[in-house]
Amino acid sequence: MRTHPTPVALAMLALVHVPFSALAQSGTVASAASQTVLVTGTAPGQLDARPSSTSRLGISLRETPATVHVVDRAQIDATGALDTQQILESIPGVSFSAQPGAPGSVFYRGFGSASLGQLHNGISVQYDAIAARPVDSWIVDRVEAIGGPSSFLNGSGAVGGSINVITKIADASGDLTHARLGLGDQKQLALSAQRGVGSGHVLRLDLNTTRGAVWTQGDDRKTWQAAASWLAPLAAGLTHTLSLEKQHERVDQPYWGTPLLRDAANAVLNPVQIDPRTVGVNYNVVDGRYQQDVTWARSILNWQLAPATRLTHTLYHYDALRDYENVEVYTFVANNAQVERSSALLQRHDQQVWGSRGELSHGTQLANLRSDFAVGWDWSYNRQTRFPLSVNGPFGRTDPYAPSDTFFYQTPGVVPGHVPGATNLLHTLALFAENRTVLGSGFSLISGVRADRIDLEVRNHRAVTATNPAQFNTRFTPTTGRLGLVKELSPAWQVYAQFSTAADPPSGVLATAGFAALRDFDLTRGRQVELGTKGSFDNGRGDATLALYDITRKNLSMTDPADRSRVIPIGQQSSRGIELSGRWRPSAQWQFSGHASYTEAQFDQFVETVGTQTVSRAGNTPANTPAWVAGATATWQPLPALSLAMDLRHVGRRYANTANTLYDSGYRLIGLGASWQVNDQLSLRARVNNLTDETYAATVGNNLVYLGAPRSVSVSADWKY
């Protein structure tokens, strides 16, 4: 087993300042009064920013025919977001949870994790729904989200949208040293240091370790991250950046959920309810474990061939090992007097991804019109072996309020050791192109296309059967794209329309899908129509965005209504909705921000097996998809060095199942924040989450709810010098 002991990270934290000080050359450290602000959408004046997740053409948010939300480093610090999922609170329409069994549980525009791209520096490991664990925010530079299909940018798996986490690397911004000490419900020790060395060379090191933030019984969550990068000038206009990141997360006795109360007929109460006395109770085995160790290596070449011509290439490698040893399902029985445990899972994922991505962009004239092009390739090889052992149980009953201690390897049927189940080998080669042509009269036409060839080989390491052959090979060749038109009504206001397409696996993800899921299927087809507007007002003191969208995904896997033993690719799911976000700073002392979204999502054609029958779910809402998500923040700066903030978050009612027979009433959270700039080097922050200590479900299921965190308090001190 690969291990990365926390003491190594702590030692590095203690020692790193010495060598960096020795290497330091003259440089300046910017200092500014910090504000505790929850920012949604884009900050005033930032619609001219040019995020990397929306296009390879380097166009601004104003010029992009899509809804794009950017949460930058200043906003992350201001909100006090501890990890990448908390950062998502700033993005309209997004809801989420982070239980270990579905760590990428993000819902966006009516679609769940399997239909979203969750990227790391623009790279998908094609297993985002599981691999995209929340990462502590210290190493994050910004998060960029684009709503709706974006397969033309990143490949399959993004009909609902893409969320791109971009981490810190060495740059030309100057020398810096930034340290943080955090106390409270989560303890943190972190350091960032960047120094110029020699002629244009820059070294950067980011280190972070946290402990805590687990509020149920059991041991704490322990994490550490270490990132090092080196920016080197090779020639005029030519630079190379070498980046290495390591991430470690371990949770002992992880919490998997709280059982739902049942009536006298043993049916779950509706709306779903829990026994308040079980809040904070963990029924998992006491030696339960979730652990993930990740290594990212990137070699990034940037070559400015001419003022209007640029070539970039990224060579990357991803290495991940994930381990689970848990009993994961708990059910009220005996008139809610006892809890029955079941579903033991011993699981290991060993995943490796290698990739090469090259892009050439060029600005020119086409028929006397300004026209910018980008072309390139995207190649990757993804290999994942899974080692599953699942034992259904049940494994006995226990007191709901004082559960007896049980141990994983004493669970009947669970034996130590990892026996491989299957290996998926995924080869992807894609060619892509984008163009933006300025047509005149304020109109611009933006287009993009991507052609993929995806070869999948599945090797079965278990017993060979008719539905699980020794080897299975298939190929997919999707072509996806986007066509958008932007009209500039004035320098401050734009309107746009776009049509985009996507391709997703029919069920699950290609990195784990097997013969039964893919033998007769092609990728599903998704398309979106979106209309929107974005602009600035009040002399640039405010920004606002508004978007209306309609998305349809076809060819989903579903049970054959005429033969429940067969699965056929004829299902369909759709969503339509509206998103609004804005920010306004009417004076130096006050700032307001907010977002609201309404999503109407449904299965248009979907059949599933219930017992011995097939039942249509047409017209029903997918599970855990809220219709309403909203947030608002007010920030007051009574003194130049003091900021106070209050924020609200609302997530509406969600169904627990596709039958829509169970639902949760949603939740509302209040947060408070304060920031005090003591001097140019030292700032203090305090944060209270869930001020009213509301008990709420982050996600809901047929038998369990995964509760969100209760009230928590954190304080931190930041030094910059």
Side-chain angles (χ1 to χ4, degrees), residues 564-582:
R564 63 185 179 88
S565 66
R566 296 183 61 224
V567 178
I568 54 178
I570 63 170
Q572 181 172 307
Q573 179 181 343
S574 65
S575 70
R576 57 194 57 84
I578 182 171
E579 294 174 353
L580 173 66
S581 68

Side-chain angles (χ1 to χ4, degrees), residues 185 212-221 251 253 255-258 274 276 278-282 690 693-698 705-712:
D185 294 287
V214 173
W215 54 273
T216 58
Q217 292 175 193
D219 204 352
D220 289 338
R221 172 179 179 262
V251 183
Q253 198 186 14
Y255 164 69
W256 292 86
T258 299
I274 64 169
T278 63
V279 174
V281 178
N282 190 339
N690 193 0
D693 201 24
E694 178 170 349
T695 299
Y696 69 99
V705 293
Y706 187 83
L707 297 178
R711 179 170 51 234
S712 63

Side-chain angles (χ1 to χ4, degrees), residues 596-647:
S597 65
Y598 175 77
T599 302
E600 184 180 280
Q602 70 174 31
F603 293 110
D604 303 309
Q605 185 174 3
F606 193 70
V607 172
E608 64 180 0
T609 300
V610 180
T612 60
Q613 304 294 320
T614 57
V615 180
S616 172
R617 303 304 189 194
N620 287 6
T621 301
N624 282 295
T625 304
W628 287 99
V629 176
T633 296
T635 303
W636 179 41
Q637 191 170 356
L639 300 170
L642 178 65
S643 290
L644 305 173
M646 179 177 182
D647 55 79

Side-chain angles (χ1 to χ4, degrees), residues 647-659:
D647 55 79
L648 309 173
R649 177 169 172 81
H650 168 79
V651 174
R653 186 172 82 166
R654 297 151 297 164
Y655 290 105
N657 53 18
T658 56

Side-chain angles (χ1 to χ4, degrees), residues 7 18 31 99 193 201 278 288 344 409 417 466 501 540 555 559 568-569 575 592 631:
V18 175
S31 64
Q99 61 269 43
H201 292 258
T278 63
Y409 287 108
T501 62
N555 302 332
T559 302
I568 54 178
S575 70
F592 303 96

Side-chain angles (χ1 to χ4, degrees), residues 17 32 97 219 265 703:
H17 182 62
S97 69
D219 204 352
N703 188 65

Side-chain angles (χ1 to χ4, degrees), residues 350-374:
D350 188 353
Q351 186 177 12
Q352 305 266 335
V353 182
W354 295 262
S356 167
R357 176 180 295 174
E359 306 165 13
L360 176 66
S361 60
H362 179 64
T364 186
Q365 296 285 317
L366 186 65
N368 294 322
L369 301 174
R370 177 186 169 185
S371 190
D372 299 328
F373 290 88

